[in-house]
Amino acid sequence: MTLLSAFLVALSLSMDNLAVTVAAGCAAQKRIPVREELTSSLGFSLAHLVMFSGGWGLGAGVGRWVKQYAPWVAFVILLVIGAHMVWEALEKQRHGKVPTSLHGKTLLWLALATSVDAWLVGMGLSFTRAPFALTVICMTGFVFATSWVGFYFGAWLGEKFGRRMEALGGLVLMGLGVKLLLEGLGIW
């Protein structure tokens, strides 16, 4: 595995992350403080690092079980969070409330949902001659960058277009959950 391969693995693992962080940023509907963006981006990177490393370390022993249930876990998490975002957007429209920051528990679940793939990729790559350190460095760097860009861009969209973007962000999360489930079942 070359630098290009590590780069492509990292890029592919960070794409779902970008979609999720844009959706989360939309929910804020205002500029997110830089410190909060950095902390959240670091959390998403750490989740990917832990999941990738765990997958690499455990290898194929647990692989069949995790691979079987991972699409369902990601689907349920993204569906619940997405539906909650849509519900909150509708409630805020009725009551005029606007959130002021990203929420820790929600971000933790989103980081977990987007890093499940990293577990599986880590497991798969553990059987190849892939350079662990190079792949991890590329992946965590990409996840950090896409998280920061996603939160920033999502917050800008939320500020500009309001509750509609939060509802759209929730729908995107639900759609992403369905896509991950269909991929996991071999339908997509």
Side-chain angles (χ1 to χ4, degrees):
M1 183 171 185
T2 65
L3 176 60
L4 178 61
S5 299
F7 179 83
L8 293 174
V9 166
L11 182 63
S12 67
L13 286 173
S14 65
M15 288 299 100
D16 287 346
N17 187 67
L18 178 63
V20 166
T21 54
V22 167
C26 286
Q29 297 180 22
K30 69 177 199 122
R31 178 73 174 105
I32 301 168
V34 172
R35 182 178 180 156
E36 201 168 328
E37 285 177 344
L38 289 172
T39 304
S40 299
S41 298
L42 187 60
F44 275 73
S45 295
L46 184 61
H48 276 75
L49 172 69
V50 168
M51 293 295 268
F52 183 85
S53 299
W56 186 285
L58 290 178
V62 182
R64 287 182 199 81
W65 185 85
V66 172
K67 189 173 184 176
Q68 181 180 1
Y69 294 105
W72 288 99
V73 170
F75 167 72
V76 169
I77 290 171
L78 292 173
L79 188 71
V80 168
I81 292 173
H84 187 262
M85 284 175 65
V86 171
W87 179 80
E88 275 190 350
L90 296 173
E91 281 296 303
K92 288 175 199 147
Q93 188 171 7
R94 282 189 222 132
H95 303 295
K97 296 177 187 172
V98 177
T100 57
S101 66
L102 301 172
H103 302 288
K105 281 184 185 177
T106 301
L107 289 175
L108 178 66
W109 284 108
L110 288 174
L112 176 65
T114 61
S115 63
V116 169
D117 286 348
W119 176 279
L120 299 172
V121 170
M123 239 185 290
L125 290 180
S126 69
F127 299 111
T128 69
R129 294 182 183 194
F132 176 79
L134 179 63
T135 306
V136 165
I137 290 167
C138 287
M139 179 192 62
T140 54
F142 269 94
V143 169
F144 183 83
T146 57
S147 295
W148 196 356
V149 167
F151 287 129
Y152 182 84
F153 183 63
W156 178 81
L157 287 172
E159 186 175 32
K160 190 157 182 81
F161 300 105
R163 292 177 206 102
R164 292 175 294 209
M165 288 310 297
E166 180 178 10
L168 181 61
L171 293 173
V172 166
L173 288 182
M174 292 189 300
L176 184 60
V178 170
K179 175 190 167 278
L180 292 173
L181 177 62
L182 293 176
E183 283 177 351
L185 296 175
I187 297 170
W188 187 304

